[in-house]
Every structure is written in structure tokens, then in C-alpha cells.
Amino acid sequence: MDINKNLDLGKIREKIDKLDSQLVELLEERLHIVQEVAQFKKQTGKKIFDEEREKEVIRKNLKRVKNKELNHYIELILKDIMDSSKEYQKFKIGVSTKYVNDLEFHNKKLGYTGVPGSYAYEVLMNLLKNNKNSNVQNIEENKNIFHFNSHKDLVEAVHTNQIDIAILPIENSIVGEVRDSIDLINTKSIHIIGEVRHKISHNLLGLKGSKIEDIKNVYSHEQAFMQCSEFLSKYEWQLKRMTNTAIGGKYIATKGENKNACIANMKTKEVYDLEVLEKNINNEEENYTRFFVISNEDTVIDGSDKISIITSANNESGALIELLQIFYEYGLNMVNLKSRPRVNKPWEYYFYIDFEGNMADEKVQMALEKIREKSNYLQILGNYKLYNLKI
């Protein structure tokens, strides 16, 4: 490779410094205009995150790039600029929180993943049954309840106001977090307004009249297979992955073949008229899944004592320790910490944190302000309470 020996690094850096100076002026001017956008959105109630607008900005500007070899890198820069703009809009708009006595389901469009009988469906039914404003007699005939094939579709529906409130699994006590849920929460404009810890009891279900010795195929979600691995290891069955446990129940009921079984809950048995071939086949008796109640409205219920945030430390030595030290300084009990890779940023991570507190508490406000100063990203996902439901 030929190297031009006449290159002067100092002069090259001078050129970069001059361009950087121009860039800073342009970025500052851009953020002044972004402030006007924030004021408009605050007045009209429009959401900060507009996915289609961001895609259009990238498409339009990439067409202007003359050296197409640079497209990928310019796209990364454009995305960083828009992320910074969203952060500035959040800062200018401020927190617009609605404080209420309890969850309000009346005339709300509700959603869950899977089909009737799924664990998320069961959680939603229990929430409605235990809500003082619900008509218990007609809960399962509610025309405002919708189901979705995936967590992505569900979160997108909340984000775009197709539905108002949804049930989203976030973590299992045996196999850990539901990773796509955490990532989805970080990328969409949704709010956590409640938490439910639901006991998971897996059962082997088959058609009426079938027996265990008839079974050749078992249908369920991959997490159910992991949570029942000890029981399944006793048999040479074909394990067929489904997107949801209850979808497995619906499938075997539709196929009508005794060689098929599913792993699901008792609600699935009731909905699809199945028979229990083996009860409680979990590896662990104490098996729970945390579900978030998510909403398109930032609502805080009376008695809310838990806060979830997503933040990102600066890429320098000791930055994460400094962030975590803030919780200690303000006497806040951190109960959960998880790291997730940042999209399009190799070897960079964001941190999902749960801690005890209420947004009205002055020390919580001071701690969050300090986290905002010490981090390069902060999103408050919600201030909510745990619902202990009667099943």
C-alpha cells in the first residue's frame, strides 16, 4: 500500500477541528428547532417518537450522500442525532403524569399475546375480576379485548394507540428475563403502570380419551420446554415450538389426533376442552412470571412504590459504578439490574434498573436528576405497584 509521506497529521486535525466547529453550530441550530417541535407536541399531545418520520429523514438524507461507501456510517450518525433530539424533546416537554386511585379498564381496549387460555390472558382476566370497576359476569365476552401473535405486535399496538392497556411478560423466576420484552420497552413510547407476579403451573394436556403412551408430539413455548425439562427427559417425544403455550392447546384441539399433546395451564384445558395427562410437571414448584401492565398513558396508581428506568453509562472507566453509587447516596433500594446490548452500537450496553420509590418523593427526583447528569441516556419507564391477585 502506498503511503503519502507528505501527510501532516497536525494539518489534517486542523481541518477536522474546523469541520467540527461548523458541525457544532449546525447541531445547536437544529436543537433550537427541535425545541419548537417539542413545544408543538406538548400543545397537541403528539408522541415524541415518530418511527415513520425518522425512517423518512434517513431515506431522504442518504440519497444526498455522493460516496455510497459512506452510507452505513452516515446512517449511524443520523440515528444518533435523532436519538439526541428525542432526549432533548423529553427534557423540554417534561413529565406529564396522570395520578389515579386504581387501574381503569372501563371503555379501554385491552391486549395480550397468544390466544384465549394463555398465561397472559389468565393474568388479564384476573386483573379484571379483581378490579372494582369491572363487570365480573361478562369479562370473557368483553369485545374490547384483543390478542396478538407476538410481543412486538402487542407493544406496537400500544405505541400506536390501537389498544390502551396490555399485559407483557418480562421475567421468569426460573429461566430469567424475556429479552425481547425489555428491548421493546426501550424503543417504543409506552409506560409501565402495574406489575403482576403470576404462578406458573404447567400441565401435559391431550385430547379427551388420549393417554401418555399415545403421545408422539408435544407442542408449547420454548420456555415451557425449559421449565419442564426434567419431566420431558423421561420420554422420546418430538418437541414442537409454538409462539405461545395456549396456541399449542388450540393447535392440538384443531388437529384432533391422540398422538399430539401440549404443555399449558388449566385455563387452556378449559378453553379447548382438553384432558390432563399429567399435572404440575414444572422442574420447580415455585415458578413465577412477572408481567407488566403497560399503557399508552403515563399513569401512576395510588400506592405505587416501584420505578423502572433504562439508562446508559458513559464509555469510560468507573462510569457505571458512579451511576449505581447514586442509589446508595439517596437511600434508594435497587432491586433489579440487567444489561442489554445497544442496537447498532457494538460492545455498548444500556442498563435496565428497577428500584423502590415514588416519583413524588423529593429524594427520588434528585436521584433521577443526578443520573441524568452522569449518564448519556435516561428513560423513565414507569412508577407502579405490584398487584397480588386472587385467582
Side-chain angles (χ1 to χ4, degrees), residues 143-307:
K143 301 299 183 186
N144 280 331
I145 295 177
F146 304 89
H147 64 91
F148 296 83
N149 292 329
S150 68
H151 300 149
K152 182 179 179 181
D153 292 341
L154 179 76
V155 171
E156 182 68 23
V158 177
H159 170 72
T160 56
N161 297 329
Q162 295 174 52
I163 59 173
D164 302 300
I165 296 173
I167 307 301
L168 181 71
I170 194 72
E171 183 179 31
N172 178 262
S173 59
I174 306 298
V175 297
E177 74 262 29
V178 182
R179 294 187 176 184
D180 65 334
S181 293
I182 294 176
D183 292 335
L184 287 165
I185 288 173
N186 186 33
T187 57
K188 301 295 180 180
S189 296
I190 61 173
H191 308 277
I192 304 168
I193 62 171
E195 177 186 347
V196 179
R197 293 177 189 171
H198 189 67
K199 187 170 176 55
I200 304 298
S201 181
H202 293 308
N203 310 279
L204 185 70
L205 307 176
L207 300 179
K208 288 287 179 69
S210 63
K211 299 176 182 178
I212 281 190
E213 47 265 35
D214 299 327
I215 303 306
K216 289 184 172 56
N217 306 308
V218 179
Y219 297 81
S220 197
H221 190 274
E222 62 179 341
Q223 286 212 352
F225 290 144
M226 288 188 284
Q227 293 166 26
C228 302
S229 59
E230 292 177 13
F231 172 80
L232 292 170
S233 67
K234 301 172 187 176
Y235 303 91
E236 295 182 356
W237 293 329
Q238 292 292 316
L239 304 182
K240 309 287 187 177
R241 289 170 53 178
M242 309 294 277
T243 56
N244 183 268
T245 54
I247 290 175
K250 182 178 181 180
Y251 177 81
I252 69 167
T254 303
K255 293 294 286 184
E257 298 176 350
N258 283 358
K259 66 178 181 179
N260 295 328
C262 72
I263 295 175
N265 59 3
M266 287 298 185
K267 193 69 178 176
T268 299
K269 170 190 173 296
E270 294 171 18
V271 171
Y272 301 105
D273 196 28
L274 301 173
E275 188 166 292
V276 177
L277 302 181
E278 191 74 39
K279 194 174 181 180
N280 295 330
I281 62 172
N282 306 35
N283 294 348
E284 304 285 343
E285 175 63 26
E286 296 303 308
N287 185 1
Y288 292 86
T289 292
R290 290 173 64 211
F291 289 85
F292 278 155
V293 186
I294 60 173
S295 172
N296 54 22
E297 189 173 35
D298 188 9
T299 302
V300 176
I301 313 298
D302 281 353
S304 293
D305 57 3
K306 195 170 181 182
I307 298 170

Side-chain angles (χ1 to χ4, degrees), residues 3-9 11-12:
I3 299 175
N4 187 341
K5 294 182 179 179
N6 295 322
L7 288 176
D8 186 324
L9 183 59
K11 290 183 178 179
I12 293 171

